[in-house]
Amino acid sequence: MAFAKVTAAEFYALLEGRGSARFRRVLARYEFFAPGGDCAVHHGSLSVPGALPASAVNMLVLGDLSADGLLDLGEDGAECGCFIVLGNVACSAFANAYGKCVMIDGNLEADEIIVNSFEDSALMVTGHLRTYFYHGIDIWAEVGGRAEMEYGDGYCLPIGYTAAAAEAIEPRHDRDASLHRLSFGNGESVDPQDFLDRLKNGQPIFRPLM
């Protein structure tokens, strides 16, 4: 799992001309880079058996990324900066982090949950987004393809949206049914850290289906 440290100039150079046309348009819209933060890159696809260590504030994967369990971008207190994947991301659970800009030039598939409700963060997926439960209170994900969410508290928007209220993509089940699908919270809004604590401690986050 070797990430190589690079300079900011090298980081930018690695992005130059890479990725899809949609990714390059999204990249130009955002101030994604954390000035003064260190940078690291992984060349090729990457499979993570457990947690993904924070190798740098700004990280780039030139290939697909998969994780057996929780892919937590706030691991070890890794906040702010950017996390860019030029490929598909697949895991059982995905979590963004406070102040972090995540760009995935491909699909994002998280079998159980996507936790995206972290202040000052952003999540852009040029392909499809698929998950069982999407948690993104006031922090939406922008998606270039389909957004498929069975349950959730939050919504997604298409990349390049112009009317958020009209174009919002909602989970299949409404908010009340979704919150009651959780094994904790008593049907009320849940802090994103509560999801992470339960996932890391091996506690269930959903009620058994009857």
Side-chain angles (χ1 to χ4, degrees):
M1 195 199 302
F3 275 83
K5 288 293 182 76
V6 295
T7 66
E10 290 169 332
F11 191 93
Y12 275 110
L14 286 166
L15 287 171
E16 189 73 28
R18 291 182 188 261
S20 65
R22 177 176 284 157
F23 169 77
R24 294 195 296 274
R25 288 195 298 270
V26 169
L27 194 66
R29 286 171 44 200
Y30 286 88
E31 184 63 43
F32 68 92
F33 194 76
D38 55 350
C39 307
V41 61
H42 185 280
H43 292 269
S45 295
L46 175 62
S47 180
V48 183
L52 177 67
S55 301
V57 174
N58 303 293
M59 297 174 65
L60 171 63
V61 179
L62 299 173
D64 296 334
L65 173 61
S66 62
D68 291 341
L70 168 64
L71 182 58
D72 178 14
L73 301 186
E75 190 73 26
D76 301 326
E79 299 177 356
C80 300
C82 66
F83 190 89
I84 301 174
V85 180
L86 300 186
N88 300 311
V89 175
C91 54
S92 60
F94 176 91
N96 202 340
Y98 291 102
K100 190 170 291 294
C101 181
V102 178
M103 298 183 187
I104 298 169
D105 192 19
N107 302 324
L108 170 57
E109 298 192 10
D111 293 336
E112 291 183 50
I113 188 169
I114 293 173
V115 185
N116 192 47
S117 47
F118 297 94
E119 292 181 1
D120 300 321
S121 68
L123 173 60
M124 278 74 65
V125 180
T126 64
H128 306 308
L129 178 150
R130 183 186 64 79
T131 192
Y132 185 72
F133 195 103
Y134 176 79
H135 191 260
I137 304 171
D138 295 328
I139 307 292
W140 59 87
E142 291 189 43
V143 182
R146 297 186 307 275
E148 300 175 1
M149 304 161 286
E150 192 71 12
Y151 294 89
D153 190 1
Y155 58 92
C156 295
L157 287 168
I159 289 175
Y161 70 91
T162 56
E167 297 178 68
I169 307 165
E170 306 276 356
R172 194 167 76 84
H173 293 85
D174 65 24
R175 182 173 184 269
D176 184 64
S178 295
L179 291 176
H180 282 91
R181 182 72 187 87
L182 299 175
S183 62
F184 62 106
N186 297 315
E188 302 293 332
S189 292
V190 177
D191 187 87
Q193 189 60 46
D194 292 338
F195 285 105
L196 296 183
D197 290 343
R198 296 181 77 88
L199 287 165
K200 291 177 180 180
N201 291 327
Q203 296 175 282
I205 58 175
F206 302 119
R207 299 177 188 273
L209 287 171
M210 303 304 291

